[in-house]
Amino acid sequence: MLFFQTYKSEFLASIILLIILLFIRFTVKTLIQKIGQKAGINDARIHLIVRYATVTLFLIWMLIQAFILGTEFKELALIFSSIFAVLGIALFAIWSILSNITSGIIMFFNFPYKVGDKIMIHDKDFPIEAIIEDIAAFQLHLRMDNGDLVTYPNNLILQKPVTLLKKDAVLYPHDDGTDAV
């Protein structure tokens, strides 16, 4: 009981912070879902972007919570500079992966093509004409006319010219003349 009396204001501030951030998370999640559904984006991509937003809010919560508990700016600056130095070296080694994740987030909000569209990627060395089967966090899954599956990195799709050949193309036509995706 002495603990709660001693840290009553910090405990109350922590609860208020948690409620505010949970409300912000709920609002952001709802907005992302509405944007995704309005744009016709599949649920897996919507959940991925919601997860990114949740992790960001969690990191913000940790930072503010440290200040609430009395951590001084100098101490946090030392911790974060050490962490960012290590992360900077590690992230330099995996910049390609981060580039694909960032491109995936950009594609969520601003990508004119959807799953099921037939596109042509104008690549000088390897031009691709295929149907978008899935848009994942790191790459597009493209189904060629011959049935081959091609994975194309998200960061490259934003760098190459792309032509929409057919909206909502059929992935697998049936022999009986009907089409199914």
Side-chain angles (χ1 to χ4, degrees):
M1 197 60 151
L2 181 64
F3 175 80
F4 289 114
Q5 288 176 348
T6 306
Y7 296 104
K8 183 178 180 180
S9 62
E10 289 88 352
F11 187 69
L12 184 61
S14 296
I15 290 174
I16 291 170
L17 174 66
L18 185 62
I19 291 170
I20 290 170
L21 286 178
L22 285 174
F23 175 75
I24 292 171
R25 182 191 177 275
F26 174 77
T27 305
V28 168
K29 179 180 177 183
T30 304
L31 284 172
I32 290 171
Q33 287 176 335
K34 284 183 181 180
I35 290 169
Q37 289 170 353
K38 184 178 179 183
I41 297 170
N42 66 3
D43 288 339
R45 288 188 59 216
I46 292 171
H47 292 299
L48 181 68
I49 299 300
V50 168
R51 210 174 310 140
Y52 290 159
T54 301
V55 168
T56 302
L57 285 172
F58 177 75
L59 293 174
I60 291 169
W61 171 80
M62 284 180 49
L63 179 65
I64 296 172
Q65 187 65 36
F67 282 118
I68 288 173
L69 295 176
T71 306
E72 292 188 27
F73 182 75
K74 289 190 306 185
E75 296 166 343
L76 283 179
L78 177 65
I79 291 170
F80 278 108
S81 64
S82 301
I83 289 172
F84 284 130
V86 171
L87 280 176
I89 293 167
L91 295 180
F92 180 75
I94 58 168
W95 69 269
S96 178
I97 292 172
L98 291 176
S99 173
N100 284 320
I101 291 172
T102 305
S103 298
I105 293 170
I106 292 169
M107 288 169 53
F108 177 82
F109 290 106
N110 189 20
F111 191 60
Y113 314 111
K114 308 283 183 264
V115 172
D117 290 351
K118 186 169 187 171
I119 61 171
M120 174 182 243
I121 302 170
H122 301 278
D123 189 344
K124 179 179 71 168
D125 298 326
F126 186 62
I128 297 174
E129 186 174 317
I131 296 173
I132 300 174
E133 195 170 274
D134 189 22
I135 302 173
F138 298 102
Q139 73 273 341
L140 290 174
H141 294 187
L142 304 170
R143 184 67 63 179
M144 308 271 297
D145 289 336
N146 64 4
D148 290 347
L149 178 67
V150 175
T151 57
Y152 203 82
N154 286 342
N155 62 349
L156 290 183
I157 196 76
L158 293 180
Q159 297 174 14
K160 303 285 182 186
V162 178
T163 303
L164 176 64
L165 298 177
K166 186 175 181 187
K167 204 122 177 89
D168 296 323
V170 178
L171 288 177
Y172 308 105
H174 286 300
D175 292 335
D176 60 1
T178 61
D179 294 332
V181 176

